[in-house]
Amino acid sequence: MESIILQIAARHLRPLLIVLSLVVLYRGHNEPGGGFIGGLMFGAAYILYAMAFGVAKTQESTFFNPINLTALGLLIAVVSGLPALLLGDSFMTGAWYTFFKQTAFELKLGTPLIFDVGVYFAVAGMLMLVMFSIMEE
Amino acid sequence: MILVLPIILPLLIMVVLIFTRRWLFFQQAFSILASVVLMWVGFLILMDVQQNGIKAVQPGSWDAPFGITLVADLFSAIMMVTASFVAVVVMIFSPGFIDKERQTAGYYPLVFGLLMGVNGAFFTGDLFNLYVWYEVMLTSSFVLIALGGSAEQLRGSIKYVTINFVASIFFVSAIGILYGQAGTLNMADLADKMRSWDEHTYVNSALMLFFIAFSVKSALVPFFFWLPASYHTPPVAITALFAGTLTKVGVYTMFRFYSLFVVYDQMFWTLFILTLAGLTMFIGVLMAASQFDIRKILSFHIISQVGYMIMGLGIFTVSGIAGAIYFTIHNMLSKTNTFLAGGLVYQRSGSYDLKYLGGLYKAKPLLALLFFIPAMSLAGIPPLPGFFGKFFLIKGGFEAQQYFITAVAILTGLFTLFSMVKIWNEAYWKKEPEDVKSRGKVHPATIMATSLLALAVILLGIFVGPVMELSMQAGEQIVNPQMYISAVLGK
């Protein structure tokens, strides 16, 4: 099925959804959101694209393989536990650092965010892997 | 730090194996190396725990009972060492046995996913976390059992998946009930609170739900039927891995739970568990004796042997538990070994069906020896470890004055010998039948793996003294849960 409306919408919505998923990922620590939902949105962006253009074309337009994305996510999630060990704490202890303190751009980053990034990739990769193989049938 | 390694190491290994999934040779070599490293980590934990007592860490620095605790006592460390040794052997065995399609379809990453779940279940000190590790373990095993997707495998895996999901529902509802009453998920904290309750209305119902869940997972009567219906379908290397790890995790968890949570109505639980243990042993071995497929005979044997372990739990004295722990180690090794020996037979003769087998003793004496050692060990012939395992259990039974179950255990041993001798007679001694399926070559890697395991079985029999001493110490920790509780809560 080829729908010109869906194709145009998908082409413009994909980057938008990806940016939105990053916003959801970042705000996740204290507000609704997080790696899991962000990952789902990231995956959904590609699924929408695949619905409009087909799986083969979507895979051409991505520079990563869903399985590798999942594995990368798992790796990032494990690595996020390691800085705590360097600081002498127990594994997975959160370490936080605030950039630009007391300015308008105050930015609080920490290892839980890295863990969330890992979840983000793992969920996105898994979702795409499953959906692509179902849609290929 | 070392306590998180059993969980994050398999995860990291899995990630490496996923990235390198196209390089078959690398996967094979790396898996062997990685599983050896895992076993070494297990040894380090075991030595540490033996010298310094039960060890607990709090990942994320959230103190118990709020964070998720990882706890290592002697029993969990022993189980991890044994399970990762089984993995080493299966990793050596697999390249020579499993076809290339399955090997490149994610076999190696999945095995380490399974090991991550198994180790997690051994070391976690948190009820819900335990449930998560069970799911990790089962998800990997679902895929492993269906890997390759032959019709027979899919038939087996549907039964396996369905019954295990039902068991998970029981498991998680029991957690819900206990959490609703106690407001904690930390196992040590829960056990501590339970000991000071005035009213305990829901405890027994929750424990019964737990018991049903774990008896499904470790295949006790009357929930065993999924095991022989699914275990014979995947390639025998996968079955061997399952036989050496999965059901034993269920048994391990039952020990842990009985030790921590059975505070009230001990009389009832003793009688209940011993009855089921007796039935499991006896029914399992009777059904094994009536089968003609090597893998099915061995699958029914798994059930029967789980009965012995649960018997040790029902007795619940230090010597009974120690006997059960020794028996579990022996069983993980010997059972895996018999499955692998069955795989050798299949490579040579192209069948698992006793009707089409024969003459292997004459043609391949080494193959016969490699089956003979673990089979006689399972049947309980001295000086192999199966004899000592049963001896200690029966001794524990007499000391605790549980004469009936002890008699059943002795009788079951006789039937075990019968069905092992049946395989021996049919596959190795009788003349080779006319309609033999094929005469294949046996891959050297598989012989090496099976010999390594047979050697381990013999060594376990020779070093019965030190291993038994270790099991006694482990048994003491199980019988006195106060040690566990104070190690976690620090009081």
Side-chain angles (χ1 to χ4, degrees):
Chain A
M1 184 197 70
E2 294 228 340
S3 152
I4 188 81
I5 301 173
L6 189 61
Q7 288 188 345
I8 292 173
R11 197 176 296 143
H12 289 93
L13 276 178
R14 185 167 71 166
L16 209 63
L17 278 170
I18 291 173
V19 172
L20 194 61
S21 76
L22 288 173
V23 174
V24 170
L25 165 70
Y26 174 69
R27 75 202 283 267
H29 192 70
N30 293 322
E31 286 167 278
F36 195 91
I37 307 176
L40 285 180
M41 288 176 74
F42 184 88
Y46 278 88
I47 292 167
L48 180 67
Y49 197 83
M51 281 163 84
F53 294 96
V55 174
K57 228 174 169 184
T58 313
Q59 275 169 337
E60 274 170 35
S61 76
T62 54
F63 55 93
F64 54 82
N65 184 323
I67 305 180
N68 288 346
L69 194 65
T70 305
L72 181 72
L74 290 175
L75 186 67
I76 294 173
V78 176
V79 167
S80 77
L82 299 181
L85 293 174
L86 294 180
L87 296 173
D89 284 323
S90 181
F91 180 72
M92 281 259 160
T93 306
W96 291 94
Y97 189 80
T98 314
F99 293 91
F100 316 121
K101 260 184 200 156
Q102 273 134 25
T103 62
F105 308 103
E106 196 178 283
L107 188 65
K108 211 174 160 199
L109 294 179
T111 49
L113 183 67
I114 304 178
F115 181 81
D116 253 2
V117 172
V119 174
Y120 177 87
F121 283 141
V123 169
M126 209 59 223
L127 181 69
M128 285 159 74
L129 188 65
V130 171
M131 286 309 290
F132 285 176
S133 46
I134 291 175
M135 285 162 80
E136 262 175 351
E137 292 296 304
Chain B
M1 170 59 199
I2 191 163
L3 264 186
V4 293
L5 281 182
I7 295 166
I8 60 169
L9 262 188
L11 184 61
L12 288 173
I13 295 163
M14 197 166 81
V15 169
V16 172
L17 288 172
I18 292 176
F19 279 128
T20 59
R21 64 190 174 280
R22 305 225 183 286
W23 307 333
L24 185 56
F25 179 72
F26 175 81
Q27 294 234 314
Q28 293 167 344
F30 186 74
S31 304
I32 296 173
L33 188 75
S35 47
V36 171
V37 171
L38 214 55
M39 193 173 87
W40 180 63
V41 169
F43 263 118
L44 288 183
I45 295 179
L46 182 61
M47 307 242 278
D48 191 2
V49 173
Q50 206 199 358
Q51 275 163 12
N52 308 326
I54 300 176
K55 202 177 156 151
V57 293
Q58 301 289 342
S61 304
W62 297 99
D63 282 334
F66 304 109
I68 288 170
T69 319
L70 296 177
V71 198
D73 68 349
L74 273 174
F75 187 28
S76 49
I78 291 172
M79 290 296 276
M80 181 193 164
V81 172
T82 323
S84 25
F85 179 68
V86 167
V88 172
V89 172
V90 173
M91 287 298 97
I92 301 174
F93 187 88
S94 299
F97 191 83
I98 296 182
D99 47 285
K100 283 218 168 59
E101 288 77 47
R102 282 197 174 90
Q103 283 193 47
T104 47
Y107 171 70
Y108 294 103
L110 282 167
V111 168
F112 284 94
L114 182 82
L115 288 177
M116 175 170 67
V118 169
N119 287 341
F122 287 155
F123 289 118
T124 185
D126 183 275
L127 274 181
F128 195 78
N129 197 234
L130 179 70
Y131 169 75
V132 173
W133 290 125
Y134 260 93
E135 291 306 299
V136 169
M137 186 169 85
L138 290 169
T139 312
S140 315
S141 65
F142 292 160
V143 188
L144 276 175
I145 213 165
L147 194 70
S150 70
E152 194 194 20
Q153 274 182 296
L154 293 180
R155 252 200 309 279
S157 64
I158 283 180
K159 292 168 195 157
Y160 181 81
V161 170
T162 317
I163 188 75
N164 274 297
F165 268 135
V166 173
S168 295
I169 296 171
F170 278 103
F171 189 176
V172 90
S173 3
I175 294 176
I177 293 172
L178 277 183
Y179 184 61
Q181 196 172 26
T184 180
L185 285 172
N186 187 291
M187 277 151 66
D189 190 37
L190 187 60
D192 191 42
K193 282 195 170 142
M194 265 186 184
R195 280 165 173 70
S196 56
W197 273 344
D198 308 325
E199 189 213 10
H200 51 272
T201 329
Y202 300 111
V203 174
N204 275 338
S205 46
L207 285 183
M208 190 54 90
L209 287 175
F210 276 132
F211 187 79
I212 293 172
F214 298 132
S215 52
V216 171
K217 307 215 183 222
S218 52
L220 285 186
V221 163
F223 303 113
F224 63 85
F225 42 83
W226 59 271
L227 192 145
S230 60
Y231 265 33
H232 66 282
T233 55
V236 84
I238 296 177
T239 316
L241 183 68
F242 284 8
T245 51
L246 286 186
T247 43
K248 277 63 186 180
V249 180
V251 172
Y252 166 84
T253 319
M254 269 196 216
F255 275 63
R256 176 70 64 222
F257 275 41
Y258 193 98
S259 147
L260 288 175
F261 302 142
V262 176
V263 188
Y264 310 106
D265 307 314
Q266 278 204 330
M267 288 285 280
F268 162 75
W269 284 104
T270 304
L271 186 69
F272 181 67
I273 289 181
L274 283 181
T275 313
L276 284 183
L279 283 173
T280 308
M281 277 186 228
F282 198 66
I283 292 178
V285 84
L286 275 189
M287 295 184 82
S290 66
Q291 299 292 322
F292 277 94
D293 183 303
I294 293 185
R295 291 171 303 175
K296 282 207 166 172
I297 297 180
L298 295 175
S299 297
F300 276 108
H301 262 288
I302 297 180
I303 300 165
S304 164
Q305 311 270 313
V306 166
Y308 278 99
M309 300 166 201
I310 299 302
M311 168 189 161
L313 177 63
I315 295 169
F316 210 69
T317 57
V318 174
S319 60
I321 296 281
I325 292 174
Y326 183 84
F327 190 86
T328 311
I329 305 171
H330 136 71
N331 195 253
M332 286 162 88
L333 300 181
S334 303
K335 195 86 242 169
T336 311
N337 201 352
T338 42
F339 270 110
L340 295 184
L344 297 182
V345 170
Y346 180 74
Q347 280 188 326
R348 154 81 190 166
S349 309
S351 176
Y352 291 104
D353 196 326
L354 291 178
K355 268 183 282 182
Y356 301 112
L357 297 174
L360 283 172
Y361 179 66
K362 216 170 171 186
K364 294 266 171 190
L366 181 64
L367 254 62
L369 182 70
L370 287 179
F371 175 76
F372 188 76
I373 294 168
M376 288 304 118
S377 169
L378 282 179
I381 303 292
L384 292 162
F387 166 74
F388 296 112
K390 282 179 190 171
F391 173 74
F392 289 124
L393 274 174
I394 288 166
K395 187 163 153 260
F398 274 128
E399 280 169 8
Q401 297 175 333
Q402 301 285 1
Y403 300 116
F404 185 71
I405 186 79
T406 314
V408 175
I410 294 171
L411 190 67
T412 306
L414 216 63
F415 277 98
T416 313
L417 183 63
F418 166 75
S419 54
M420 286 302 155
V421 168
K422 178 176 166 181
I423 300 183
W424 176 254
N425 278 345
E426 294 283 327
Y428 296 94
W429 255 4
K430 126 188 134 188
K431 266 209 181 121
E432 191 168 42
E434 308 275 300
D435 51 352
V436 63
K437 292 266 179 196
S438 67
R439 286 225 184 102
K441 260 182 81 86
V442 181
H443 196 284
T446 58
I447 293 201
M448 209 171 87
T450 318
S451 317
L452 181 67
L453 198 51
L455 188 70
V457 170
I458 295 174
L459 286 179
L460 185 64
I462 293 175
F463 292 104
V464 58
V467 179
M468 197 55 204
E469 202 173 303
L470 198 66
S471 310
M472 284 295 237
Q473 292 170 4
E476 234 154 78
Q477 290 180 346
I478 295 282
V479 173
N480 304 314
Q482 205 54 47
M483 290 154 126
Y484 182 95
I485 295 171
S486 50
V488 176
L489 298 180
K491 62 179 178 186

